Amino acid sequence: MALTSVSTSLWGMEYSVHTLPASMAREIQHVFPDLNLADMLIVPTCQQADYDLVRTGEKIDVEKDRLLERFMAWSQCICSKLQAQGYWCDYIDPCSGLPMIQQGTNNVYPEVEGLSVLLGFKTQNAGCCKVHSSGWLVTD
């Protein structure tokens, strides 16, 4: 259940806040096995790319790095602020699907499934991967 509508941060990150849906609880418990999920909130994030990231090439690699660096900086900032107020917080490395703060598990967060469940995104096959379609138009 969404507690907020989708907003855009000053960092260019689209985000919303959701209670943990029962359909995702088992997967989340595998990622965070020692955590009580009773009051867990999930904050899915998206950012618009300047290029179609399914393509390949140097400019695509540079764009992926730019988006990853922005996500990591934003996530570190948000987690630091929440932890300073006494809250538990973690974020998922988009490259590995693993938690960045609470380490010690090799269970991957299902990011594409999470966006489908939480935001209703449709998925498409892109080779061996599933990707979501956000509706953003990217022109190269």
Side-chain angles (χ1 to χ4, degrees), residues 38-79:
D39 295 322
M40 177 175 267
L41 299 176
I42 298 179
V43 181
T45 61
C46 296
Q47 42 185 329
Q48 186 168 5
D50 292 336
Y51 303 101
D52 181 353
L53 300 181
V54 174
R55 294 183 180 180
T56 58
E58 185 177 340
K59 70 181 180 180
I60 304 302
D61 292 340
V62 169
E63 178 70 354
K64 287 179 180 180
D65 288 343
R66 180 184 72 83
L67 296 171
L68 178 62
E69 289 170 10
R70 182 167 63 179
F71 169 77
M72 293 299 220
W74 183 82
S75 299
Q76 290 167 358
C77 179
I78 296 299
C79 282

Side-chain angles (χ1 to χ4, degrees), residues 106-121:
N106 288 327
N107 297 319
V108 174
Y109 171 73
E111 179 181 5
V112 173
E113 178 186 338
L115 289 172
S116 295
V117 170
L118 297 169
L119 298 175
F121 284 0

Side-chain angles (χ1 to χ4, degrees), residues 12 18 31 35 44 69 73 80 89 91 98 109 117 125:
H18 303 256
V31 177
L35 195 63
E69 289 170 10
S80 293
C89 187
Y91 58 102
L98 298 172
Y109 171 73
V117 170
N125 288 326

Side-chain angles (χ1 to χ4, degrees), residues 17-29:
V17 179
H18 303 256
T19 57
L20 176 63
S23 63
M24 291 183 65
R26 184 171 158 251
E27 292 292 331
I28 298 299
Q29 193 70 73

